[in-house]
Structure formats: structure tokens, C-alpha cells
Amino acid sequence: MRNRVSQMVALLSGVATASLFVLGMSTAFAQQKPSPADLEKHRTTPGGQYQPSLDVLGEKPVEQPGAKPGDPVLSKAEFDRANQIYFERCAGCHGVLRKGATGKPLTPDLTKKLGYEYLRDFITYGSPGGMPNWGTSGDLKEDEVTLMARYLLNDPAQPPEFGMKEMKETWKVIVPVDKRPTRKQNKLDIDNLFSVTLRDSGEIALIDGKTKKIEHIIMTGYAVHISRMSASGRYLYTIGRDAKINLIDLWMDPPQTVAELKIGSEARSVETSKHKAYEDKLAIAGAYWPPQFVLMDGATLEPLKVVGTRGMTYDTQEYHPEPRVASIVSSHYNPEFVVNVKETGQILMVNYTDIKNLKITSVEAERFLHDGGFDRSGRYFLVAANARDKIAVVDTKEGKLVGVIPSEGKTPHPGRGANFNHPKYGPVWATSHLGDEVISLIGTDPVKNKQYAWKVVQKFDGQGGGSLFIKTHPKSEHLYVDTPLNPDAEISSSVAVFKIKDLTKEKPEFKTLPIGQWSGISEGQRRVVQGEYNQEGTEIWFSVWNSKSQESAIVVVDDKTLTKKAVIRDKRLVTPTGKFNVYNTRKDVY
């Protein structure tokens, strides 16, 4: 029994978690009704709760592969339901084609060796290593668990491709460039506007940083992942998980979408050109499916060039069929976009001076690249290879890898990270972690503080695992760490704040801010996520994120006194998550 369970662990969770899994699963499988203690061992870890799911692919029509002799027979209705569950719950880790991504492969040659019962039980109980306990958590009903076990014994479905033809069919220029204003028509303080993602309503809210009032609500794609600003600050770009880009003209009265484009079925990243003479000229977006990125006209979103990312992994030189495009940033030193390809571990420096003869420098970094940001100088880009617990550093001036650094924590998720001057180590960049409470500081000054550069110079503990974002500001004396995915409701509804001057201590202490309590909302878990500063750096905004059917809010904290300054409560604030201050976003202030 132990040997067969170990095989299943190696397939679905990875060898590193096998010993933990066997200790719990052998007990759970041996009983008809697992005890509460057994189930507690398989409660999903904070890292496992962060599922970058491919929500919208679940709604796409996909042709059902023909069943092979001996395969479980699924009706069309069963296949469609299982396909939807897989794309919503599983594809983010195991890949659209089930060939493995952050999680292990789930192709039939592997799943059939394990058999139906093992797949069913593993889906039910999960593992301490990060596989969610879909059955015992109640996220999947018993009949859905058994359906998924049967589904995984069949050949994978093939989602539709999305090329230039399909993109052009979605492209809309709602307000032509020559019909747009030649100067700002409204009275908005654009640089201090916040673009706030209203995740489950498919909208963004434009909120005035001074008055704290919602100025406008704009329809966008589903679950906007990020907002990005053009170099001039005039245009706001949003991209939803459904790969729909909205180009919003902030000069108009009121601001409105002037162009739209879909670049695929699932996406996460959009950025604009910032180099001198290319301001506002071009835009780029990267897709999860199909695996590709697209260069566009910055003022109209006309798709100009589609580049696929399928290819070889940097380390084993094996072909990967779906290397997803994660974060993209725009270089301050060269006319280039920095494109992070998750599964192959390649960082692509895409030179946009000549799109017809496109030049791409491929930098071998580390696999499973995700989020990242620049150091304070804007020269060095640091990105988390989250599944390998490392941070890759690229010199965007020279177009070379500086190094790959162990983050010394489990599953780093920095967002854009946090830059500040450490009282002992000089300039540092910080990341928190999904999988544990560790906060790591990496030295970023190879000139005046060469002895500390490109290594973890300090690590200390925050509230716990489940952090998504860490934040500070050049004018701030504080470092904020959220923990929205921690299973403890009290922890997930608060943030930890460290005084930067006190980080010389071996074990720096933090102050806990009860953001959820300050919101005045009593229902739900009130997950507090993603601090974002105003333009002046005097206050920091946090989202109090409840479910769609519950009330959410934004709490504004006075950065100097660490007290509640304001609470934004409005029925239109449906699941607010990411917030992007126009000035800080376009200037890469973090």
C-alpha cells in the first residue's frame, strides 16, 4: 500500500512531499471514515490555496477526444462538465494539456498506472505538499470527484488556438484616434487616480486618491489581473483573465474605453513601451493560452505581431507545449520588453525598434517564472521562480542574467516587490512567500554595497504563510506584508507592518493592523490584500476582499501613524482586489 501511494505522490505532488503524504494518506485510506485529525493533515496549505486557474477556458467549446479501448466512457455532458472543472480548478498547476506545469503531469500513460481508486482518493484528500483536498473541503461533490478520476484516465482535451485571424475578429476601435481629445477634458487628478479591479463583476473602478470617491466604473474583461499605464499617463490598459484588453483614455470626460482586443483564451500580463521616442507607441500582452505574446499599436490595440513561446526548457532542453507568459515589464534602459516565460524558464528581451525583423534575446534563468519588479535604480529586474523557491535577476541594461538566488522561503510571491534602504545592508528588494511566513531581503547595490549584492542578506518571519504582496514607498519608514490566503481568518484579515529602522534586530517585531475590523464589515473572511500607496506616499490602501455576494471595502491607512484614515464602502465595490495608482504604476515606484 505504501509503495503504491508513493507512486501517486511522485506523480501529483512531487518527490519532495512524498514522505509527508504517505504518513497521512496511508492512515486515511485505511479507514472507512477518516478521523478529523486525519483530515486536518490534508487541509490545503496556504500555497496550495493559490490556484492560478484558467477560469474562462472552462466555458470554451472543446472537442471530446475519442475514447480508447478500456478507457472510462464519458457522455458528452459528463465530458463537458469534467472539462470545465479541470480548466477552472486544475489546469493552472497541471497545464492545459495535462503535461505538467507547476504541478506534475496527468497524462493517461501515468494516470492509468495508478488507477481510478487512487486518483479518486488523491483528489478527495489532497496532500500537505500543496494538492488541494477538493473532496473533503467541499469544493467538489463526491460525484464530481469520481467524474474527475474517470476524466483523467482519458486523453486530454485540446483547447482552441487563437491566432492573428481570431484576434482581428475581436479588435474594436470604439473611438478613433482623430476623434479623441487633444488635451485633457476632465478635472480629474489623473496621477493620483487608483484603478481598482472589481474582480467578479468584470469592471474596474477609478477612485480619486484625495476625495476617496468612485469617479467612474468601467466595464472590462473578466477578473482584471493588472492595470498598466502608458508612459505619458494618458492611457490605462487592463487585461482580464479572459485575455480581453481594454484601452481607456483618461483624458476623456468621462474616461472611457476607446479600443478592445482579445489575445487568446486566458492571460495575465500587459505593458506599454517606455523608452525615449517610443512613449505610448506600442503595447504588449502575454497569454496563458495559447502560449504566446502579442505586440500591438499603443493607441489602437491593432495586433501587429504574434510570437509563440512553445519550445525547449532552459535546463533539460525538453520540448514544452504550453509555456505560459507571466509578468512583462518595460525596460528603462533599452527599447525592450522583458517577457517572463513560466514553464521554460526563459526571460525574453524583446527589442521593439523593428517589429518586422524582431530581435529577441533569450536569457536562461529558472523555471516557473511568475511575478517580479525592478530594483530602486530601475536597471535590475528581479522575478520569482516560485515553484523552485528562487529569484532570478536580470540586468536590463546589458541584457544578461546576473544570477539566480534561493529565496530561502517557500513559494516566493513578491508582486512587484518592495525597495528600501536597509540600515545595515543598503539598498534591498524584498519578497514575502505563499508557502511560509518568511520575508527575504536581497541586496541590490553592486557598486557601493558589493558584498551584499544579489544574495539574501536577511530573512525574518511575518504573520504566516499565504502572502501575496509586500509593499513600501521611497517616502515611507514602514514595510507592509499581507496574508490573504492564510487559512486563519484573523491573520488573513490583517497586515503586518515592520519599521525599516528596526530591521537591524535579529528577530524584527511587527505591528498587526486589523484592516478587516477597521472596515466595519462583519460578514465573510474579509481577506485583506495588496497594499498600494497614493502618489504622495503618505497613505496606503488595502482591499477587504469578500465573496461576490458579500460586502467588500477599501481601507486607507495613514502611513505615518499607522491608523485608519478612511474607509471606502460602496455597493459597487464588488470583490475589489488589485489597486494601481497611476503615478506609481507608470513610474515603477514600489
Side-chain angles (χ1 to χ4, degrees):
M1 176 68 173
R2 286 178 180 267
N3 185 50
R4 295 173 72 188
V5 172
S6 295
Q7 290 177 345
M8 181 159 56
V9 175
L11 172 69
L12 297 177
S13 279
V15 176
T17 63
S19 58
L20 290 172
F21 178 77
V22 171
L23 288 173
M25 287 297 282
S26 60
T27 302
F29 284 174
Q31 302 174 10
Q32 290 294 322
K33 293 183 178 180
S35 69
D38 292 322
L39 296 181
E40 179 65 19
K41 293 177 184 177
H42 303 287
R43 183 173 68 170
T44 305
T45 61
Q49 290 178 348
Y50 180 66
Q51 292 299 310
S53 60
L54 288 93
D55 319 85
V56 294
L57 269 173
E59 302 171 0
K60 297 292 180 183
V62 176
E63 184 177 350
Q64 181 176 359
K68 295 179 180 177
D71 289 351
V73 177
L74 300 179
S75 68
K76 181 65 166 64
E78 287 178 322
F79 169 79
D80 289 342
R81 176 60 182 145
N83 211 49
Q84 180 179 7
I85 292 172
Y86 182 80
F87 286 136
E88 288 178 350
R89 306 283 192 177
C90 317
C93 280
H94 297 288
V96 171
L97 304 177
R98 291 176 22 203
K99 291 183 178 292
T102 306
K104 294 292 181 178
L106 294 173
T107 48
D109 59 315
L110 300 173
T111 58
K112 286 179 179 178
K113 292 178 182 178
L114 300 169
Y116 164 80
E117 290 184 359
Y118 293 115
L119 295 172
R120 177 199 64 197
D121 291 340
F122 195 83
I123 295 169
T124 299
Y125 296 107
S127 84
M131 170 71 176
N133 53 323
W134 296 113
T136 56
S137 68
D139 287 317
L140 292 182
K141 299 176 183 177
E142 185 177 351
D143 64 326
E144 291 176 322
V145 170
T146 59
L147 173 62
M148 294 309 297
R150 294 163 57 211
Y151 171 83
L152 293 176
L153 294 169
N154 280 268
D155 285 343
Q158 175 72 45
E161 297 291 333
F162 208 92
M164 182 63 80
K165 175 179 177 293
E166 289 77 14
M167 286 183 206
K168 288 257 178 125
E169 290 172 353
T170 72
W171 176 45
K172 298 177 183 176
V173 178
I174 300 163
V175 181
V177 175
D178 61 0
K179 301 296 183 183
R180 298 175 197 170
T182 55
R183 56 187 174 85
K184 189 163 80 79
Q185 299 295 302
N186 56 60
K187 297 181 179 180
L188 296 174
D189 181 2
I190 290 178
D191 266 348
N192 204 24
L193 274 181
F194 286 75
S195 174
V196 180
T197 296
L198 307 181
R199 188 187 187 281
D200 293 334
S201 65
E203 300 170 317
I204 61 162
L206 295 180
I207 303 181
D208 186 285
K210 183 177 181 180
T211 66
K212 316 297 189 289
K213 292 182 179 179
I214 298 176
E215 295 289 347
H216 302 287
I217 301 286
I218 299 175
M219 292 292 297
T220 58
Y222 167 73
V224 163
H225 193 64
I226 58 170
S227 296
R228 288 292 182 262
M229 282 72 190
S230 66
S232 69
R234 172 177 183 169
Y235 290 116
L236 166 64
Y237 300 76
T238 68
I239 189 161
R241 290 192 176 211
D242 57 357
K244 180 182 177 182
I245 303 171
N246 282 67
L247 174 60
I248 298 164
D249 188 348
L250 296 177
W251 280 12
M252 298 181 74
D253 188 17
Q256 60 182 276
T257 294
V258 294
E260 296 177 354
L261 178 71
K262 268 180 66 69
I263 64 155
S265 300
E266 182 77 6
R268 294 293 188 276
S269 52
V270 67
E271 183 58 287
T272 69
S273 52
K274 294 181 179 178
H275 200 258
K276 187 177 181 180
Y278 290 93
E279 298 95 332
D280 296 21
K281 299 290 186 183
L282 294 166
I284 185 173
Y288 268 24
W289 188 266
Q292 60 194 28
F293 63 86
V294 183
L295 294 165
M296 301 159 284
D297 181 272
T300 66
L301 296 185
E302 179 185 3
L304 304 174
K305 187 96 169 182
V306 185
V307 181
T309 55
R310 292 178 173 100
M312 314 306 284
T313 58
Y314 90 94
D315 47 3
T316 59
Q317 298 290 293
E318 295 176 272
Y319 177 75
H320 201 292
E322 54 169 310
R324 298 170 292 177
V325 177
S327 54
I328 302 175
V329 296
S330 188
S331 172
H332 297 275
Y333 282 83
N334 292 299
E336 293 178 335
F337 293 119
V338 183
V339 178
N340 297 280
V341 184
K342 188 182 288 280
E343 278 71 31
T344 59
Q346 304 275 1
I347 298 177
L348 308 180
M349 315 295 286
V350 181
N351 187 298
Y352 49 72
T353 56
D354 184 355
I355 291 179
K356 274 203 173 294
N357 301 287
L358 195 65
K359 294 180 180 178
I360 300 177
T361 300
S362 182
V363 178
E364 295 184 353
E366 183 56 282
R367 295 185 66 185
F368 311 114
L369 301 168
H370 194 62
D371 280 351
F374 289 105
D375 76 310
R376 184 59 57 80
S377 74
R379 173 172 175 172
Y380 300 98
F381 177 70
L382 298 91
V383 57
N386 54 12
R388 293 201 168 167
D389 304 330
K390 294 179 181 178
I391 304 294
V393 184
V394 172
D395 182 345
T396 62
K397 182 178 180 180
E398 300 294 333
K400 296 180 179 179
L401 182 73
V402 173
V404 178
I405 308 161
S407 72
E408 301 191 19
K410 183 64 178 175
T411 318
H413 192 287
R416 287 171 286 181
N419 290 296
F420 58 92
N421 283 314
H422 191 281
K424 178 178 179 181
Y425 302 111
V428 297
W429 178 90
T431 183
S432 52
H433 293 79
L434 273 164
D436 61 26
E437 67 276 12
V438 172
I439 297 159
S440 299
L441 310 184
I442 295 172
T444 59
D445 180 6
V447 179
K448 295 182 180 180
N449 293 275
K450 186 176 181 180
Q451 70 274 34
Y452 302 131
W454 317 129
K455 63 182 70 174
V456 173
V457 294
Q458 185 180 7
K459 64 176 183 176
F460 47 89
D461 291 347
Q463 293 195 96
S467 175
L468 287 179
F469 300 99
I470 187 168
K471 200 72 175 181
T472 190
H473 187 276
K475 296 181 181 178
S476 176
E477 298 177 352
H478 297 113
L479 179 68
Y480 298 80
V481 184
D482 70 15
T483 43
L485 298 184
N486 195 285
D488 186 303
E490 184 175 347
I491 293 176
S492 67
S493 65
S494 61
V495 297
V497 189
F498 295 85
K499 288 187 177 180
I500 292 174
K501 68 179 182 180
D502 291 341
L503 294 181
T504 53
K505 299 177 181 178
E506 183 178 349
K507 293 184 177 181
E509 297 179 351
F510 59 83
K511 181 176 182 178
T512 302
L513 303 187
I515 304 294
Q517 179 183 326
W518 286 353
S519 72
I521 296 171
S522 58
E523 64 179 343
Q525 189 163 339
R526 305 176 303 183
R527 298 183 187 276
V528 173
V529 67
Q530 206 261 334
E532 178 78 349
Y533 278 87
N534 63 344
Q535 180 186 1
E536 294 82 8
T538 57
E539 58 190 35
I540 184 168
W541 296 29
F542 288 96
S543 296
V544 180
W545 172 23
N546 261 332
S547 69
K548 187 177 182 179
S549 60
Q550 297 170 319
E551 185 180 6
S552 294
I554 293 173
V555 173
V556 181
V557 176
D558 186 302
D559 180 63
K560 186 175 182 179
T561 63
L562 300 182
T563 58
K564 178 180 69 175
K565 188 172 184 178
V567 178
I568 305 172
R569 291 176 69 172
D570 190 300
K571 64 181 181 181
R572 295 173 292 174
L573 282 179
V574 178
T575 57
T577 49
K579 300 166 299 302
F580 302 89
N581 176 269
V582 168
Y583 180 85
N584 292 335
T585 301
R586 73 184 178 91
K587 294 291 188 179
D588 287 320
V589 178
Y590 38 78

